[in-house]
Every structure is written in C-alpha cells, then in structure tokens.
Amino acid sequence: EAQVTQNPRYLITVTGKKLTVTCSQNMNHEYMSWYRQDPGLGLRQIYYSMNVEVTDKGDVPEGYKVSRKEKRNFPLILESPSPNQTSLYFCASSLFSGRADTQYFGPGTRLTVL
Amino acid sequence: GNSVTQMEGPVTLSEEAFLTINCTYTATGYPSLFWYVQYPGEGLQLLLKATKADDKGSNKGFEATYRKETTSFHLEKGSVQVSDSAVYFCALRGNTPLVFGKGTRLSVIA
C-alpha cells in the first residue's frame, strides 16, 4: 500500500531532550516536507526537500533540523525541544515539486514538550 | 506572497443540508488549488483538486470550481452526512510550497 508513515504517533518529552521523528514514504517521491499544525494557525511548513541531500527552510524552521540521506526517509530532529514546539506534526510527500503534484500526508505525530 | 483565506468555522449543519465552504486565494502565476479533509485523529487526505481556470474538481459528492476571475475555489456538497464531519482545508500550490488556509471545522448532526 502506498503510504507515508511517521513514528512515533504520540510523544511526551521534557525540555532540552533531543528527539527525532521519523518519516518514510514508499512511493519513490522526490519531494518531502514537514508541517506543524496549531489551533487557529492551520498548517505551516517547517522544512522541505526537493531531492536527496537537498533541503530548504519553510515558514517556521527555527528549532528544527532535517536530513535527506535517502529518497524514502526524511527525519525531523529537535535538538533541544521547548514547550512552544508542542504541536501536531505531519510529514508529506509528492512525486515532484510541481504545482499540480498532490502531496500525500502521514498520520501525524502529536508531540508534547513539558 | 501566496495566501489562502477560508471561512471561519465551526460550521454546524443538519444531515442532508447543503454545504458551502468559501475559499479565496492570492497568488502570482497559475497555481493549482486543492481541498484536503482531516477526519478526527487522522492525517490530511486529498479530497479534490483543480489545476487550471474553470476546472471542476469532484469527489465523494463534493465539488469545487477554479474561478480565476474571482480568485475562488469554494467547496460545495448538495447533501451532507454525519460522516462528513471533519476539518476542511483549502490549499494552493504554485511556484512555492503548498500554502494552506486555516481550516474550517464542519459538524453534521443527525
């Protein structure tokens, strides 16, 4: 089944403890992206990647890192999480970055930083 | 820059009522337009899309027409069901990454 998977689905952590949220897609997509969803703010893009080893900042990149060493994986790294990073996170992928390309979303990771 | 504005919710309707969720956009060039749906506890799913002016996207009884003259992409459904209760996001994609509206929560009551 074609899908985007994320792990973990739920995570509670404490301020300053490094964490990684994994994202993987099995559709051979070139483009991958991370979003965070917050009440009243909708979805905002954190980082995106056009291809392996190519990443770029989205609208809200502060406090996050990403890497794209393989086409299928795009982990999101929080080196020193803070409470304002408590949010619902989505990974997404599309075949390319063209305007007509549909993005497919993972199920989400709910992160709480205490 | 590109932006999407959609009507504030929540919207509460009785089963079989007509649904309209307004969406307008600002963009340079010729973006594609999307409606995504998020059911409780789930990720976003593509509901429908349109890639050029006057295109109509449709799926599961939902429709939206890409209106360049009014820069709009309103979502409609003739008869909603309880199972349509969800959050609906309008989005556009041009020469920039996908840009979302803030979402409209729809509740349908039996």
mmCIF file with all atom_site columns, all heavy atoms in Angstrom, chain A residues 80-103:
data_model
loop_
_atom_site.group_PDB
_atom_site.id
_atom_site.type_symbol
_atom_site.label_atom_id
_atom_site.label_alt_id
_atom_site.label_comp_id
_atom_site.label_asym_id
_atom_site.label_entity_id
_atom_site.label_seq_id
_atom_site.pdbx_PDB_ins_code
_atom_site.Cartn_x
_atom_site.Cartn_y
_atom_site.Cartn_z
_atom_site.occupancy
_atom_site.B_iso_or_equiv
_atom_site.pdbx_formal_charge
_atom_site.auth_seq_id
_atom_site.auth_comp_id
_atom_site.auth_asym_id
_atom_site.auth_atom_id
_atom_site.pdbx_PDB_model_num
ATOM 1   N N   . SER A 1 80  ? 16.929 20.522 20.862  1.00 0.00 ? 80  SER A N   1
ATOM 2   C CA  . SER A 1 80  ? 16.661 20.967 22.230  1.00 0.00 ? 80  SER A CA  1
ATOM 3   C C   . SER A 1 80  ? 15.215 21.452 22.300  1.00 0.00 ? 80  SER A C   1
ATOM 4   O O   . SER A 1 80  ? 14.953 22.662 22.252  1.00 0.00 ? 80  SER A O   1
ATOM 5   C CB  . SER A 1 80  ? 17.635 22.078 22.626  1.00 0.00 ? 80  SER A CB  1
ATOM 6   O OG  . SER A 1 80  ? 17.427 22.459 23.973  1.00 0.00 ? 80  SER A OG  1
ATOM 7   N N   . PRO A 1 81  ? 14.284 20.533 22.401  1.00 0.00 ? 81  PRO A N   1
ATOM 8   C CA  . PRO A 1 81  ? 12.867 20.908 22.337  1.00 0.00 ? 81  PRO A CA  1
ATOM 9   C C   . PRO A 1 81  ? 12.467 21.882 23.431  1.00 0.00 ? 81  PRO A C   1
ATOM 10  O O   . PRO A 1 81  ? 12.979 21.832 24.564  1.00 0.00 ? 81  PRO A O   1
ATOM 11  C CB  . PRO A 1 81  ? 12.143 19.572 22.503  1.00 0.00 ? 81  PRO A CB  1
ATOM 12  C CG  . PRO A 1 81  ? 13.141 18.530 22.175  1.00 0.00 ? 81  PRO A CG  1
ATOM 13  C CD  . PRO A 1 81  ? 14.470 19.084 22.575  1.00 0.00 ? 81  PRO A CD  1
ATOM 14  N N   . SER A 1 82  ? 11.525 22.749 23.082  1.00 0.00 ? 82  SER A N   1
ATOM 15  C CA  . SER A 1 82  ? 10.966 23.683 24.057  1.00 0.00 ? 82  SER A CA  1
ATOM 16  C C   . SER A 1 82  ? 9.447  23.571 24.027  1.00 0.00 ? 82  SER A C   1
ATOM 17  O O   . SER A 1 82  ? 8.871  23.059 23.050  1.00 0.00 ? 82  SER A O   1
ATOM 18  C CB  . SER A 1 82  ? 11.404 25.113 23.718  1.00 0.00 ? 82  SER A CB  1
ATOM 19  O OG  . SER A 1 82  ? 10.914 25.472 22.444  1.00 0.00 ? 82  SER A OG  1
ATOM 20  N N   . PRO A 1 83  ? 8.781  24.038 25.082  1.00 0.00 ? 83  PRO A N   1
ATOM 21  C CA  . PRO A 1 83  ? 7.315  23.894 25.141  1.00 0.00 ? 83  PRO A CA  1
ATOM 22  C C   . PRO A 1 83  ? 6.584  24.497 23.947  1.00 0.00 ? 83  PRO A C   1
ATOM 23  O O   . PRO A 1 83  ? 5.508  24.018 23.574  1.00 0.00 ? 83  PRO A O   1
ATOM 24  C CB  . PRO A 1 83  ? 6.954  24.613 26.449  1.00 0.00 ? 83  PRO A CB  1
ATOM 25  C CG  . PRO A 1 83  ? 8.156  24.402 27.318  1.00 0.00 ? 83  PRO A CG  1
ATOM 26  C CD  . PRO A 1 83  ? 9.321  24.510 26.381  1.00 0.00 ? 83  PRO A CD  1
ATOM 27  N N   . ASN A 1 84  ? 7.146  25.540 23.322  1.00 0.00 ? 84  ASN A N   1
ATOM 28  C CA  . ASN A 1 84  ? 6.442  26.126 22.171  1.00 0.00 ? 84  ASN A CA  1
ATOM 29  C C   . ASN A 1 84  ? 6.520  25.250 20.925  1.00 0.00 ? 84  ASN A C   1
ATOM 30  O O   . ASN A 1 84  ? 5.952  25.593 19.873  1.00 0.00 ? 84  ASN A O   1
ATOM 31  C CB  . ASN A 1 84  ? 6.933  27.549 21.873  1.00 0.00 ? 84  ASN A CB  1
ATOM 32  C CG  . ASN A 1 84  ? 8.381  27.601 21.428  1.00 0.00 ? 84  ASN A CG  1
ATOM 33  O OD1 . ASN A 1 84  ? 9.003  26.578 21.138  1.00 0.00 ? 84  ASN A OD1 1
ATOM 34  N ND2 . ASN A 1 84  ? 8.927  28.803 21.363  1.00 0.00 ? 84  ASN A ND2 1
ATOM 35  N N   . GLN A 1 85  ? 7.199  24.123 21.013  1.00 0.00 ? 85  GLN A N   1
ATOM 36  C CA  . GLN A 1 85  ? 7.196  23.153 19.920  1.00 0.00 ? 85  GLN A CA  1
ATOM 37  C C   . GLN A 1 85  ? 6.172  22.038 20.149  1.00 0.00 ? 85  GLN A C   1
ATOM 38  O O   . GLN A 1 85  ? 6.093  21.108 19.340  1.00 0.00 ? 85  GLN A O   1
ATOM 39  C CB  . GLN A 1 85  ? 8.596  22.568 19.729  1.00 0.00 ? 85  GLN A CB  1
ATOM 40  C CG  . GLN A 1 85  ? 9.585  23.615 19.225  1.00 0.00 ? 85  GLN A CG  1
ATOM 41  C CD  . GLN A 1 85  ? 10.986 23.092 19.084  1.00 0.00 ? 85  GLN A CD  1
ATOM 42  O OE1 . GLN A 1 85  ? 11.617 22.664 20.067  1.00 0.00 ? 85  GLN A OE1 1
ATOM 43  N NE2 . GLN A 1 85  ? 11.494 23.114 17.861  1.00 0.00 ? 85  GLN A NE2 1
ATOM 44  N N   . THR A 1 86  ? 5.398  22.161 21.207  1.00 0.00 ? 86  THR A N   1
ATOM 45  C CA  . THR A 1 86  ? 4.255  21.264 21.396  1.00 0.00 ? 86  THR A CA  1
ATOM 46  C C   . THR A 1 86  ? 3.282  21.509 20.256  1.00 0.00 ? 86  THR A C   1
ATOM 47  O O   . THR A 1 86  ? 2.811  22.638 20.058  1.00 0.00 ? 86  THR A O   1
ATOM 48  C CB  . THR A 1 86  ? 3.579  21.549 22.745  1.00 0.00 ? 86  THR A CB  1
ATOM 49  O OG1 . THR A 1 86  ? 4.472  21.168 23.799  1.00 0.00 ? 86  THR A OG1 1
ATOM 50  C CG2 . THR A 1 86  ? 2.277  20.782 22.872  1.00 0.00 ? 86  THR A CG2 1
ATOM 51  N N   . SER A 1 87  ? 2.986  20.452 19.505  1.00 0.00 ? 87  SER A N   1
ATOM 52  C CA  . SER A 1 87  ? 2.193  20.633 18.293  1.00 0.00 ? 87  SER A CA  1
ATOM 53  C C   . SER A 1 87  ? 1.877  19.275 17.688  1.00 0.00 ? 87  SER A C   1
ATOM 54  O O   . SER A 1 87  ? 2.323  18.227 18.171  1.00 0.00 ? 87  SER A O   1
ATOM 55  C CB  . SER A 1 87  ? 2.975  21.479 17.278  1.00 0.00 ? 87  SER A CB  1
ATOM 56  O OG  . SER A 1 87  ? 2.181  21.821 16.160  1.00 0.00 ? 87  SER A OG  1
ATOM 57  N N   . LEU A 1 88  ? 1.101  19.314 16.618  1.00 0.00 ? 88  LEU A N   1
ATOM 58  C CA  . LEU A 1 88  ? 0.824  18.127 15.804  1.00 0.00 ? 88  LEU A CA  1
ATOM 59  C C   . LEU A 1 88  ? 1.640  18.258 14.531  1.00 0.00 ? 88  LEU A C   1
ATOM 60  O O   . LEU A 1 88  ? 1.517  19.255 13.810  1.00 0.00 ? 88  LEU A O   1
ATOM 61  C CB  . LEU A 1 88  ? -0.668 18.059 15.501  1.00 0.00 ? 88  LEU A CB  1
ATOM 62  C CG  . LEU A 1 88  ? -1.173 16.884 14.657  1.00 0.00 ? 88  LEU A CG  1
ATOM 63  C CD1 . LEU A 1 88  ? -0.813 15.554 15.302  1.00 0.00 ? 88  LEU A CD1 1
ATOM 64  C CD2 . LEU A 1 88  ? -2.682 16.993 14.484  1.00 0.00 ? 88  LEU A CD2 1
ATOM 65  N N   . TYR A 1 89  ? 2.471  17.260 14.252  1.00 0.00 ? 89  TYR A N   1
ATOM 66  C CA  . TYR A 1 89  ? 3.397  17.325 13.133  1.00 0.00 ? 89  TYR A CA  1
ATOM 67  C C   . TYR A 1 89  ? 2.987  16.343 12.039  1.00 0.00 ? 89  TYR A C   1
ATOM 68  O O   . TYR A 1 89  ? 2.635  15.192 12.316  1.00 0.00 ? 89  TYR A O   1
ATOM 69  C CB  . TYR A 1 89  ? 4.823  16.991 13.604  1.00 0.00 ? 89  TYR A CB  1
ATOM 70  C CG  . TYR A 1 89  ? 5.397  18.055 14.494  1.00 0.00 ? 89  TYR A CG  1
ATOM 71  C CD1 . TYR A 1 89  ? 5.172  18.045 15.864  1.00 0.00 ? 89  TYR A CD1 1
ATOM 72  C CD2 . TYR A 1 89  ? 6.163  19.089 13.956  1.00 0.00 ? 89  TYR A CD2 1
ATOM 73  C CE1 . TYR A 1 89  ? 5.682  19.036 16.681  1.00 0.00 ? 89  TYR A CE1 1
ATOM 74  C CE2 . TYR A 1 89  ? 6.683  20.085 14.768  1.00 0.00 ? 89  TYR A CE2 1
ATOM 75  C CZ  . TYR A 1 89  ? 6.440  20.046 16.129  1.00 0.00 ? 89  TYR A CZ  1
ATOM 76  O OH  . TYR A 1 89  ? 6.941  21.032 16.930  1.00 0.00 ? 89  TYR A OH  1
ATOM 77  N N   . PHE A 1 90  ? 3.070  16.825 10.804  1.00 0.00 ? 90  PHE A N   1
ATOM 78  C CA  . PHE A 1 90  ? 2.764  15.989 9.647   1.00 0.00 ? 90  PHE A CA  1
ATOM 79  C C   . PHE A 1 90  ? 3.928  15.985 8.676   1.00 0.00 ? 90  PHE A C   1
ATOM 80  O O   . PHE A 1 90  ? 4.481  17.035 8.341   1.00 0.00 ? 90  PHE A O   1
ATOM 81  C CB  . PHE A 1 90  ? 1.523  16.492 8.911   1.00 0.00 ? 90  PHE A CB  1
ATOM 82  C CG  . PHE A 1 90  ? 0.253  16.293 9.663   1.00 0.00 ? 90  PHE A CG  1
ATOM 83  C CD1 . PHE A 1 90  ? -0.336 17.342 10.338  1.00 0.00 ? 90  PHE A CD1 1
ATOM 84  C CD2 . PHE A 1 90  ? -0.351 15.050 9.689   1.00 0.00 ? 90  PHE A CD2 1
ATOM 85  C CE1 . PHE A 1 90  ? -1.517 17.159 11.035  1.00 0.00 ? 90  PHE A CE1 1
ATOM 86  C CE2 . PHE A 1 90  ? -1.530 14.861 10.384  1.00 0.00 ? 90  PHE A CE2 1
ATOM 87  C CZ  . PHE A 1 90  ? -2.111 15.914 11.063  1.00 0.00 ? 90  PHE A CZ  1
ATOM 88  N N   . CYS A 1 91  ? 4.227  14.796 8.188   1.00 0.00 ? 91  CYS A N   1
ATOM 89  C CA  . CYS A 1 91  ? 5.149  14.638 7.070   1.00 0.00 ? 91  CYS A CA  1
ATOM 90  C C   . CYS A 1 91  ? 4.320  14.437 5.807   1.00 0.00 ? 91  CYS A C   1
ATOM 91  O O   . CYS A 1 91  ? 3.215  13.862 5.863   1.00 0.00 ? 91  CYS A O   1
ATOM 92  C CB  . CYS A 1 91  ? 6.031  13.420 7.330   1.00 0.00 ? 91  CYS A CB  1
ATOM 93  S SG  . CYS A 1 91  ? 7.262  13.105 6.067   1.00 0.00 ? 91  CYS A SG  1
ATOM 94  N N   . ALA A 1 92  ? 4.821  14.904 4.688   1.00 0.00 ? 92  ALA A N   1
ATOM 95  C CA  . ALA A 1 92  ? 4.106  14.761 3.428   1.00 0.00 ? 92  ALA A CA  1
ATOM 96  C C   . ALA A 1 92  ? 5.098  14.529 2.301   1.00 0.00 ? 92  ALA A C   1
ATOM 97  O O   . ALA A 1 92  ? 6.277  14.894 2.410   1.00 0.00 ? 92  ALA A O   1
ATOM 98  C CB  . ALA A 1 92  ? 3.271  16.009 3.130   1.00 0.00 ? 92  ALA A CB  1
ATOM 99  N N   . SER A 1 93  ? 4.625  13.924 1.221   1.00 0.00 ? 93  SER A N   1
ATOM 100 C CA  . SER A 1 93  ? 5.493  13.723 0.064   1.00 0.00 ? 93  SER A CA  1
ATOM 101 C C   . SER A 1 93  ? 4.686  13.874 -1.214  1.00 0.00 ? 93  SER A C   1
ATOM 102 O O   . SER A 1 93  ? 3.457  13.701 -1.224  1.00 0.00 ? 93  SER A O   1
ATOM 103 C CB  . SER A 1 93  ? 6.155  12.344 0.104   1.00 0.00 ? 93  SER A CB  1
ATOM 104 O OG  . SER A 1 93  ? 5.222  11.314 -0.168  1.00 0.00 ? 93  SER A OG  1
ATOM 105 N N   . SER A 1 94  ? 5.387  14.214 -2.290  1.00 0.00 ? 94  SER A N   1
ATOM 106 C CA  . SER A 1 94  ? 4.781  14.256 -3.616  1.00 0.00 ? 94  SER A CA  1
ATOM 107 C C   . SER A 1 94  ? 5.821  13.824 -4.633  1.00 0.00 ? 94  SER A C   1
ATOM 108 O O   . SER A 1 94  ? 7.025  13.901 -4.374  1.00 0.00 ? 94  SER A O   1
ATOM 109 C CB  . SER A 1 94  ? 4.224  15.637 -3.961  1.00 0.00 ? 94  SER A CB  1
ATOM 110 O OG  . SER A 1 94  ? 5.240  16.605 -3.963  1.00 0.00 ? 94  SER A OG  1
ATOM 111 N N   . LEU A 1 95  ? 5.340  13.414 -5.808  1.00 0.00 ? 95  LEU A N   1
ATOM 112 C CA  . LEU A 1 95  ? 6.256  12.888 -6.810  1.00 0.00 ? 95  LEU A CA  1
ATOM 113 C C   . LEU A 1 95  ? 7.348  13.906 -7.134  1.00 0.00 ? 95  LEU A C   1
ATOM 114 O O   . LEU A 1 95  ? 8.537  13.602 -7.130  1.00 0.00 ? 95  LEU A O   1
ATOM 115 C CB  . LEU A 1 95  ? 5.471  12.508 -8.060  1.00 0.00 ? 95  LEU A CB  1
ATOM 116 C CG  . LEU A 1 95  ? 6.271  11.803 -9.158  1.00 0.00 ? 95  LEU A CG  1
ATOM 117 C CD1 . LEU A 1 95  ? 6.912  10.533 -8.628  1.00 0.00 ? 95  LEU A CD1 1
ATOM 118 C CD2 . LEU A 1 95  ? 5.374  11.494 -10.356 1.00 0.00 ? 95  LEU A CD2 1
ATOM 119 N N   . PHE A 1 96  ? 6.911  15.120 -7.445  1.00 0.00 ? 96  PHE A N   1
ATOM 120 C CA  . PHE A 1 96  ? 7.834  16.218 -7.685  1.00 0.00 ? 96  PHE A CA  1
ATOM 121 C C   . PHE A 1 96  ? 7.318  17.447 -6.945  1.00 0.00 ? 96  PHE A C   1
ATOM 122 O O   . PHE A 1 96  ? 6.377  17.351 -6.168  1.00 0.00 ? 96  PHE A O   1
ATOM 123 C CB  . PHE A 1 96  ? 7.948  16.506 -9.191  1.00 0.00 ? 96  PHE A CB  1
ATOM 124 C CG  . PHE A 1 96  ? 8.483  15.342 -9.993  1.00 0.00 ? 96  PHE A CG  1
ATOM 125 C CD1 . PHE A 1 96  ? 7.656  14.660 -10.867 1.00 0.00 ? 96  PHE A CD1 1
ATOM 126 C CD2 . PHE A 1 96  ? 9.797  14.939 -9.861  1.00 0.00 ? 96  PHE A CD2 1
ATOM 127 C CE1 . PHE A 1 96  ? 8.130  13.580 -11.591 1.00 0.00 ? 96  PHE A CE1 1
ATOM 128 C CE2 . PHE A 1 96  ? 10.287 13.859 -10.583 1.00 0.00 ? 96  PHE A CE2 1
ATOM 129 C CZ  . PHE A 1 96  ? 9.447  13.172 -11.449 1.00 0.00 ? 96  PHE A CZ  1
ATOM 130 N N   . SER A 1 97  ? 7.927  18.583 -7.210  1.00 0.00 ? 97  SER A N   1
ATOM 131 C CA  . SER A 1 97  ? 7.502  19.809 -6.533  1.00 0.00 ? 97  SER A CA  1
ATOM 132 C C   . SER A 1 97  ? 6.654  20.684 -7.449  1.00 0.00 ? 97  SER A C   1
ATOM 133 O O   . SER A 1 97  ? 6.458  21.860 -7.178  1.00 0.00 ? 97  SER A O   1
ATOM 134 C CB  . SER A 1 97  ? 8.718  20.599 -6.059  1.00 0.00 ? 97  SER A CB  1
ATOM 135 O OG  . SER A 1 97  ? 9.530  20.966 -7.161  1.00 0.00 ? 97  SER A OG  1
ATOM 136 N N   . GLY A 1 98  ? 6.152  20.117 -8.529  1.00 0.00 ? 98  GLY A N   1
ATOM 137 C CA  . GLY A 1 98  ? 5.348  20.888 -9.466  1.00 0.00 ? 98  GLY A CA  1
ATOM 138 C C   . GLY A 1 98  ? 4.034  21.326 -8.881  1.00 0.00 ? 98  GLY A C   1
ATOM 139 O O   . GLY A 1 98  ? 3.524  20.724 -7.928  1.00 0.00 ? 98  GLY A O   1
ATOM 140 N N   . ARG A 1 99  ? 3.446  22.336 -9.493  1.00 0.00 ? 99  ARG A N   1
ATOM 141 C CA  . ARG A 1 99  ? 2.239  22.934 -8.916  1.00 0.00 ? 99  ARG A CA  1
ATOM 142 C C   . ARG A 1 99  ? 1.062  21.974 -8.926  1.00 0.00 ? 99  ARG A C   1
ATOM 143 O O   . ARG A 1 99  ? 0.144  22.099 -8.122  1.00 0.00 ? 99  ARG A O   1
ATOM 144 C CB  . ARG A 1 99  ? 1.888  24.220 -9.662  1.00 0.00 ? 99  ARG A CB  1
ATOM 145 C CG  . ARG A 1 99  ? 1.494  23.997 -11.108 1.00 0.00 ? 99  ARG A CG  1
ATOM 146 C CD  . ARG A 1 99  ? 1.070  25.300 -11.773 1.00 0.00 ? 99  ARG A CD  1
ATOM 147 N NE  . ARG A 1 99  ? 0.438  25.028 -13.055 1.00 0.00 ? 99  ARG A NE  1
ATOM 148 C CZ  . ARG A 1 99  ? -0.850 24.771 -13.195 1.00 0.00 ? 99  ARG A CZ  1
ATOM 149 N NH1 . ARG A 1 99  ? -1.647 24.776 -12.133 1.00 0.00 ? 99  ARG A NH1 1
ATOM 150 N NH2 . ARG A 1 99  ? -1.355 24.521 -14.378 1.00 0.00 ? 99  ARG A NH2 1
ATOM 151 N N   . ALA A 1 100 ? 1.055  21.013 -9.828  1.00 0.00 ? 100 ALA A N   1
ATOM 152 C CA  . ALA A 1 100 ? -0.084 20.096 -9.905  1.00 0.00 ? 100 ALA A CA  1
ATOM 153 C C   . ALA A 1 100 ? 0.135  18.811 -9.114  1.00 0.00 ? 100 ALA A C   1
ATOM 154 O O   . ALA A 1 100 ? -0.761 17.967 -9.038  1.00 0.00 ? 100 ALA A O   1
ATOM 155 C CB  . ALA A 1 100 ? -0.382 19.765 -11.358 1.00 0.00 ? 100 ALA A CB  1
ATOM 156 N N   . ASP A 1 101 ? 1.306  18.680 -8.523  1.00 0.00 ? 101 ASP A N   1
ATOM 157 C CA  . ASP A 1 101 ? 1.602  17.438 -7.801  1.00 0.00 ? 101 ASP A CA  1
ATOM 158 C C   . ASP A 1 101 ? 0.876  17.399 -6.466  1.00 0.00 ? 101 ASP A C   1
ATOM 159 O O   . ASP A 1 101 ? 0.999  18.318 -5.656  1.00 0.00 ? 101 ASP A O   1
ATOM 160 C CB  . ASP A 1 101 ? 3.112  17.311 -7.565  1.00 0.00 ? 101 ASP A CB  1
ATOM 161 C CG  . ASP A 1 101 ? 3.861  16.982 -8.839  1.00 0.00 ? 101 ASP A CG  1
ATOM 162 O OD1 . ASP A 1 101 ? 3.415  16.063 -9.550  1.00 0.00 ? 101 ASP A OD1 1
ATOM 163 O OD2 . ASP A 1 101 ? 4.882  17.638 -9.119  1.00 0.00 ? 101 ASP A OD2 1
ATOM 164 N N   . THR A 1 102 ? 0.171  16.322 -6.220  1.00 0.00 ? 102 THR A N   1
ATOM 165 C CA  . THR A 1 102 ? -0.572 16.148 -4.975  1.00 0.00 ? 102 THR A CA  1
ATOM 166 C C   . THR A 1 102 ? 0.370  15.702 -3.873  1.00 0.00 ? 102 THR A C   1
ATOM 167 O O   . THR A 1 102 ? 1.172  14.785 -4.062  1.00 0.00 ? 102 THR A O   1
ATOM 168 C CB  . THR A 1 102 ? -1.665 15.093 -5.157  1.00 0.00 ? 102 THR A CB  1
ATOM 169 O OG1 . THR A 1 102 ? -2.570 15.542 -6.161  1.00 0.00 ? 102 THR A OG1 1
ATOM 170 C CG2 . THR A 1 102 ? -2.412 14.848 -3.856  1.00 0.00 ? 102 THR A CG2 1
ATOM 171 N N   . GLN A 1 103 ? 0.259  16.343 -2.714  1.00 0.00 ? 103 GLN A N   1
ATOM 172 C CA  . GLN A 1 103 ? 1.025  15.901 -1.555  1.00 0.00 ? 103 GLN A CA  1
ATOM 173 C C   . GLN A 1 103 ? 0.214  14.890 -0.766  1.00 0.00 ? 103 GLN A C   1
ATOM 174 O O   . GLN A 1 103 ? -0.984 15.084 -0.536  1.00 0.00 ? 103 GLN A O   1
ATOM 175 C CB  . GLN A 1 103 ? 1.391  17.084 -0.664  1.00 0.00 ? 103 GLN A CB  1
ATOM 176 C CG  . GLN A 1 103 ? 2.502  17.935 -1.260  1.00 0.00 ? 103 GLN A CG  1
ATOM 177 C CD  . GLN A 1 103 ? 3.209  18.777 -0.227  1.00 0.00 ? 103 GLN A CD  1
ATOM 178 O OE1 . GLN A 1 103 ? 3.316  18.416 0.941   1.00 0.00 ? 103 GLN A OE1 1
ATOM 179 N NE2 . GLN A 1 103 ? 3.681  19.927 -0.655  1.00 0.00 ? 103 GLN A NE2 1
#
